[in-house]
Amino acid sequence: MSTTTRALPEQFAELEPYVADWARPTRQERYDMRLSKTFEELAEFYDAIAPRAEEAILYLNGLDLNDLPEDATRLLQLLYSMILVSYAVNVFMQPRIPDSGAAFFDTAVEPAV
């Protein structure tokens, strides 16, 4: 009998190709990934995740946020990344914030999970 460890909960298996790049534990890592991608790569990720976001949220709402299994934590991180990428895809139409020059900000506190 073989055991397969999934990166995400089984019903979200088709999103596993995005885990390596986008299931990042910190906002800064997610933002750095956004800046390293082309607009087309961001749009592909967003278009894959966004239609499943509501279902993912419902799934995660059924779990204890303080005791998420690893696969559910990665799913939550994908949602965080989707939110960060949504601005680039839907508003800026590019990875960077337009007309911001070298401006940046540091996050002082990360979300609990």
Side-chain angles (χ1 to χ4, degrees), residues 27-70:
R27 185 222 163 268
Q28 188 62 53
E29 289 177 88
R30 293 186 287 274
Y31 189 70
D32 290 344
M33 183 59 63
R34 179 177 115 178
L35 295 179
S36 77
K37 299 292 187 181
T38 65
F39 177 77
E40 292 73 21
E41 290 169 318
L42 297 178
E44 176 190 328
F45 168 68
Y46 180 80
D47 290 346
I49 302 294
R52 302 294 309 276
E54 190 171 330
E55 181 184 354
I57 291 167
L58 288 172
Y59 174 81
L60 292 167
N61 280 343
L63 302 174
D64 180 354
L65 185 62
N66 296 312
D67 192 28
L68 287 177
E70 287 183 26

Side-chain angles (χ1 to χ4, degrees), residues 4-17 19 23 49 52-53 55-63 67-79:
T4 305
T5 304
R6 290 200 166 274
L8 295 172
E10 187 173 342
Q11 60 268 45
F12 301 99
E14 79 279 2
L15 302 176
E16 287 189 7
V19 168
I49 302 294
R52 302 294 309 276
E55 181 184 354
I57 291 167
L58 288 172
Y59 174 81
L60 292 167
N61 280 343
L63 302 174
D67 192 28
L68 287 177
E70 287 183 26
D71 61 347
T73 297
R74 285 187 287 272
L75 180 62
L76 180 60
Q77 291 167 343
L78 286 181
L79 288 175

